[in-house]
Amino acid sequence: MLRDYTFECLVTMPRHELEEFSARIISRMVPEDVMSEIFTFEQEEIDSEERLLSARLDAMLRMTAIALSETQQAFDDSENATQNSVRMTRLVLWHFYAISFRLEQAISLETHCEHVEALINNAPTDVFGWVKALTELLHGYAEISDKQNPQD
């Protein structure tokens, strides 16, 4: 069976396999020099814990956006180009959800997968579109989390 990285697939796969494979895909999509540039911070970005956290989150968002924008082209020559691209998009978005932003604390995997499917149906085609889409996704998740866990 071909892994499609939908909700049913993700909940049955061992987490370490998902982590390893998604990290390999991202490292394949984002060249090492670009990764180094993204995660190199200016002094003013690291002069406080809050700024450092913000810079890291921004870097992870940009890294994910680059990986997602490269996914379509990476599989253009494969036998099932569209299917492979969609599968890897789901996997990279799982990485974004579980590893980069640890959103499992705020949003269920099932909710995340529902949002991913909607996003895939109208997927951006370039890195700037992905940055916008991922930022909107994070804002949407924050709203959902706030509604589910209202602060007293």
Side-chain angles (χ1 to χ4, degrees):
M1 179 184 115
L2 191 63
R3 292 182 173 158
D4 61 6
Y5 304 106
T6 57
F7 175 72
E8 292 78 17
C9 175
L10 293 171
V11 295
T12 59
M13 281 187 70
R15 184 178 175 102
H16 71 277
E17 284 183 32
L18 287 166
E19 288 176 7
E20 289 173 15
F21 191 51
S22 65
R24 280 199 330 256
I25 291 297
I26 287 174
S27 68
R28 189 173 141 201
M29 299 298 141
V30 184
E32 193 172 320
D33 61 326
V34 173
M35 193 74 82
S36 178
E37 182 180 325
I38 290 172
F39 285 95
T40 299
F41 307 117
E42 299 294 327
Q43 184 58 42
E44 63 266 9
E45 293 177 301
I46 59 171
D47 60 7
S48 75
E49 190 66 33
E50 186 176 312
R51 284 183 154 190
L52 178 59
L53 178 61
S54 178
R56 284 184 179 157
L57 293 176
D58 180 61
M60 287 185 281
L61 182 88
R62 289 185 292 142
M63 173 197 71
T64 304
I66 292 168
L68 288 165
S69 69
E70 293 295 319
T71 300
Q72 181 64 48
Q73 295 172 7
F75 295 98
D76 274 349
D77 296 332
S78 67
E79 189 173 314
N80 297 309
T82 301
Q83 181 184 12
N84 289 334
S85 177
V86 167
R87 290 175 52 244
M88 291 306 109
T89 297
R90 286 183 187 126
L91 182 63
V92 171
L93 286 167
W94 175 85
H95 187 94
F96 170 82
Y97 164 81
I99 308 300
S100 295
F101 286 87
R102 296 184 181 101
L103 294 167
E104 294 157 312
Q105 300 164 3
I107 301 295
S108 73
L109 179 60
E110 187 171 16
T111 299
H112 166 72
C113 290
E114 290 169 5
H115 283 83
V116 165
E117 292 309 310
L119 185 56
I120 285 173
N121 289 331
N122 196 17
T125 57
D126 63 17
V127 69
F128 299 111
W130 277 111
V131 166
K132 182 178 185 284
L134 293 173
T135 301
E136 289 171 357
L137 193 62
L138 287 174
H139 287 290
Y141 286 176
E143 288 176 15
I144 292 169
S145 179
D146 286 347
K147 286 177 186 172
Q148 290 175 347
N149 305 306
Q151 300 299 316
D152 295 321

